[in-house]
């Protein structure tokens, strides 16, 4: 069963969960896998039977309260259906004192006191008591952007003695520190989510001094990568602060996922049952999702590699869906011979040399890749004649491409934006490297020609009527020479421009801004064609599909949107992130979109149905850079933690970690053949990594994929091929030309 789909709970899955929950409530409590606390081993059999009778009686009271509530609201049909399903007799709803036969258990039947017929007070009482017995791994629809705050906070109304919170937490801490080393690392994962929810419970119930003492005593014990979250948490000191607080809603509405081996889980469960530690057990049930796996417990380094996100690790089933990561078959275009090729001495040798190089592009193989999606899985635009000409140019350039490797590193050409007092916020190059565009904090977009060819606008309509449309050079004649200049300024946004992207055919430019819009600009007329309005908050990034037509945007509203240039409303909304979507990237086959977020996770979305098919956790800070390998198999990500993580998309696993940068990584790019990975950072450096070596001989056997156990080699220094310093320019964009020259860009920071 696939995991959370597009941020909404899958209908079938939801049904399954409800069925399980009802079985646990009305059926055999022993099958509950310890979710309801069983009596301590020392208690007698009679005490056990009394408790089960009391439990059944309590369940019956809950049911009767619900029935009374429905009847009070004149929902008689619902009352009858529920009564029949629960097997209650018709007279069970008679007022106070009526006998009820229970759900098939004679011992549990008896008089049910409805407290003077006040069904609502009974309902509130049994609801409070029944939340303790709720099943832990129910799922939350993460797509609900702003749930009713009162409903969200009411989960904290149930509480124990505030003075005992420190005792409970200290007791658990002592226990975990005393267990065997192999279990300690895994069980230590519960400290952070427990600390957060216990603190929030104290604050919600107005125990401010106890909450402050609790925070001061235990906040220092938490992992360093939760520092930012704890800083936000420390500002929530009163109940009023909790209302409308996004961080709190994140903690509350998304279950914190822990991946723990069965042996470690049994240890924890046994300890809590023996101590009758209901307070902690309730929090584990209510707010945590424990993903139990069979096998050896994970080591501290394995856990640290995967943890750090806002909601813990990804559930294993979240990464089980099939992903078609292969490349689409390229259209067959005949490659005409150049004049220089015809004049060459060895006429036959030339094409033969070309062939293997053409195949080495990966995307040009004639055979269909078994891992590739079908050509018509999503509708893609047909190739125009101009596109075919561009493909031919691309193939010609590819034959002259330099093969990169550890012994043959690329040259780097750096474009420094001098005196960029407007504040450079985004940069992009066209695929053929002929144009460069910059987005600025003064809400403008500027486009420059990198070649001697100047930028020209199309002539006015009146002048166009005078042109001979049949002439061979009609495309040249329609351009107005009077408007030729090295750069153009595009004005239209009403806030800083945070993301820009050229279309593959170089006819259009996208820009996204703080004003909540994405604009499409024509590079023929240098005017705005469309303003796409869907985001309500700043849009941090936008990117065109490699095949054009589609584009994706992501912003502060935590949702990524898929658009088509000819639709003014989004085609898909990718909802599921718990914080801002900070960067977006299309897969080379255009069937998937990757998004990086401030919640420190990366998600891969299926364009066809909007489902989330991969969730990657491991970064310790907001993610700002994503890059797919040219063959579509791997993804590289960079974040504020200064680390580059490498992911195997097919298996859904982290396969590498590259350390070296000392500041936020803002740009990642693979060379055209995928042998080199370049990373650009705010630490004023460009670093080159050996991608071929990083991805060779990966151990992605079935066991690794099933358990998520990863053994990362600490071989960053071996993989680092070169570090290139700028004088004082943060690197915010990288681009490999078709011949594998590396272009970099940033604004000089005096």
């Amino acid at each position: 069963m696939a995991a959370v789909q597009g941020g909404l709970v899958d209908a079938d899955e939801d049904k399954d969960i409800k069925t399980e929950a009802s079985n646990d409530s009305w059926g055999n409590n022993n099958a509950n896998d310890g979710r309801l606390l069983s009596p301590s081993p020392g208690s007698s059999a009679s005490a056990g039977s009394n408790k089960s009778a009391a439990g059944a009686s309590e369940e019956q009271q809950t049911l009767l309260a619900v029935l009374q509530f429905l009847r009070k609201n004149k929902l008689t049909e619902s009352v009858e259906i529920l009564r029949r399903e629960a097997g209650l007799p018709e007279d069970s709803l008679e007022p106070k004192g009526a006998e009820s036969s229970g759900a098939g258990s004679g011992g549990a039947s008896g008089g049910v006191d409805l407290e003077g017929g006040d069904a609502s007070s009974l309902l509130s009482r049994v609801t409070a008591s029944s939340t303790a017995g709720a099943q832990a791994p129910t799922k939350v629809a993460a797509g609900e952007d702003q749930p009713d705050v009162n409903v969200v906070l009411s989960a904290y109304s149930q509480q124990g003695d505030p003075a005992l919170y420190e005792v409970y937490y200290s007791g658990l801490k002592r226990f975990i520190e005393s267990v065997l080393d192999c279990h300690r690392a895994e069980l230590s994962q519960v400290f952070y989510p427990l600390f957060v929810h216990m603190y929030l419970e104290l604050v919600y119930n107005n125990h401010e001094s106890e909450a402050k003492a609790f925070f001061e005593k235990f906040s220092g014990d938490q992992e360093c990568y939760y520092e930012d979250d704890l800083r936000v948490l420390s500002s929530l000191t009163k109940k009023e602060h909790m209302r409308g607080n996004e961080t709190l809603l994140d903690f509350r509405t998304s279950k914190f996922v822990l991946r723990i081996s069965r042996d470690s889980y049994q240890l924890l469960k046994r300890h809590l049952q023996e101590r009758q530690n209901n307070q902690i057990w309730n929090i584990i049930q209510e707010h945590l999702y424990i993903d139990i796996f069979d096998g050896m417990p994970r080591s501290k380094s394995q856990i640290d590699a995967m943890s750090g996100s806002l909601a813990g690790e990804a559930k294993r089933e979240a990464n089980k869906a099939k992903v078609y990561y292969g490349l689409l078959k390229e259209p067959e275009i005949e490659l005409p011979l150049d004049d220089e090729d015809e004049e060459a001495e060895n006429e036959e040798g030339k094409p033969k040399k070309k062939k293997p190089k053409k195949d080495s592009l990966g995307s040009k193989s004639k055979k269909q890749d078994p891992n590739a999606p079908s050509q018509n899985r999503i509708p893609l635009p047909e190739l125009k004649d101009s596109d075919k000409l561009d493909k031919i140019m691309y193939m010609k350039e590819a034959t002259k491409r330099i093969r990169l490797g550890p012994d043959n590193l690329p040259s780097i050409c750096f474009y420094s934006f001098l005196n960029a007092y407007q504040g450079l916020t985004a940069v992009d190059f066209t695929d053929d490297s002929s144009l460069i565009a910059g987005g600025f904090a003064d809400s403008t977009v500027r486009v420059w020609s990198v070649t001697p060819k100047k930028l020209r606008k199309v002539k006015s309509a009146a002048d166009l009527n005078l042109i001979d449309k049949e002439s061979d050079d009609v495309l040249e004649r329609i351009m107005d020479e009077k408007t030729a200049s090295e750069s153009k300024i595009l004005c239209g946004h009403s806030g800083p421009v945070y993301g820009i992207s050229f279309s593959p055919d170089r006819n259009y430019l996208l820009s996204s801004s703080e004003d909540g819009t994405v604009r499409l600009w024509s590079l023929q007329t240098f005017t705005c064609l469309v303003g796409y309005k869907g985001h309500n908050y700043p849009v941090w990034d936008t990117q065109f599909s490699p095949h054009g037509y589609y584009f994706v945007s992501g912003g502060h509203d935590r949702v990524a949107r898929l658009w088509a240039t000819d639709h003014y409303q989004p085609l898909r909304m990718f909802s599921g992130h718990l914080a801002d979507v900070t960067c977006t990237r299309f897969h080379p086959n255009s069937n998937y979109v990757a998004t990086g977020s401030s919640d420190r996770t990366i998600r891969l979305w299926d364009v066809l149905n909007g489902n989330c098919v991969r969730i990657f956790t491991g970064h310790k800070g907001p993610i700002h850079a994503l890059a797919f390998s040219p063959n579509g198999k791997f993804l590289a990500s960079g974040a504020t933690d200064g680390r580059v993580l490498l992911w195997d998309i097919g298996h859904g696993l982290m396969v590498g970690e590259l350390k070296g940068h000392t500041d936020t990584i803002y740009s990642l790019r693979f060379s055209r053949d995928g042998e080199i990975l370049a990373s650009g950072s705010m630490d004023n450096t460009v670093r080159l990594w050996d991608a071929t070596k990083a991805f060779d001989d990966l151990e992605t056997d079935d066991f690794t994929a099933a358990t998520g156990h990863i053994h990362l080699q600490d071989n960053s220094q071996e993989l680092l091929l070169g570090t290139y310093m700028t004088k004082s320019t943060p690197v915010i964009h990288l681009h490999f030309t078709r011949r594998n020259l590396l272009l970099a860009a940033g604004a000089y920071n005096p």
Side-chain angles (χ1 to χ4, degrees), residues 410-430:
S411 299
I412 305 176
C413 174
F414 200 99
Y415 289 88
S416 292
F417 287 74
L418 299 174
N419 307 316
Y421 56 86
Q422 307 92 342
L424 181 71
T425 46
V427 176
D428 195 29
F429 290 91
T430 51

Side-chain angles (χ1 to χ4, degrees), residues 337-447:
L337 290 170
D338 286 350
D339 297 339
E340 59 192 65
D341 293 340
E342 288 167 3
E343 291 163 17
E345 292 170 21
N346 185 355
E347 203 170 325
E348 286 177 20
K350 278 276 178 180
K352 277 184 184 170
K353 268 190 191 169
K354 273 187 174 183
K355 273 282 191 276
K357 282 204 170 182
K358 203 174 103 178
D359 282 347
S360 72
L361 304 180
S363 58
K364 304 291 179 284
S365 61
K366 293 279 184 279
K367 276 199 301 192
Q368 178 74 29
D369 184 338
N371 293 305
S374 58
Q375 292 289 117
N376 56 0
R377 187 171 183 265
I378 60 167
L380 291 169
E382 285 185 21
L383 285 181
K384 303 192 290 287
D385 288 344
S386 58
D387 296 330
K388 288 178 181 171
L389 284 171
D390 199 50
K391 286 271 180 204
I392 290 169
M393 282 300 299
Y394 177 86
M395 288 172 174
K396 283 183 179 176
E397 295 240 22
T399 60
K400 298 167 185 171
R401 181 180 301 162
I402 295 167
R403 299 286 295 188
L404 300 178
D407 304 322
N408 194 18
L409 297 179
S411 299
I412 305 176
C413 174
F414 200 99
Y415 289 88
S416 292
F417 287 74
L418 299 174
N419 307 316
Y421 56 86
Q422 307 92 342
L424 181 71
T425 46
V427 176
D428 195 29
F429 290 91
T430 51
D431 185 67
D432 69 349
S433 313
S434 62
L435 302 175
I436 180 172
F440 292 87
D442 67 353
S443 77
T444 61
V445 177
R446 291 158 197 255
V447 184

Side-chain angles (χ1 to χ4, degrees), residues 56-57 60 63-64 83 86-93 97-112:
S57 167
Q60 214 174 21
L63 182 59
L64 286 169
R83 185 189 59 72
L88 294 175
E90 289 183 30
D91 60 351
S92 60
L93 285 176
E99 292 288 321
S100 72
S101 61
S105 163
S109 62
V112 178

Side-chain angles (χ1 to χ4, degrees), residues 190-239:
V190 303
F191 285 147
Y192 174 68
L194 276 179
F195 168 79
V196 170
H197 289 296
M198 290 175 92
Y199 174 74
L200 290 175
E201 267 188 22
L202 287 169
V203 172
Y204 182 78
N205 293 300
N206 295 314
H207 304 301
E208 290 175 31
S209 56
E210 288 91 342
K212 190 179 177 189
F214 183 80
F215 189 91
E216 285 174 357
K217 185 168 181 182
F218 299 114
S219 60
D221 299 340
Q222 309 309 320
E223 295 286 358
C224 57
Y225 38 79
Y226 294 121
E227 268 178 24
D228 291 342
D229 297 341
L230 291 173
R231 201 173 299 120
V232 173
L233 202 62
S234 65
S235 64
L236 299 173
T237 54
K238 289 182 164 47
K239 187 174 177 177

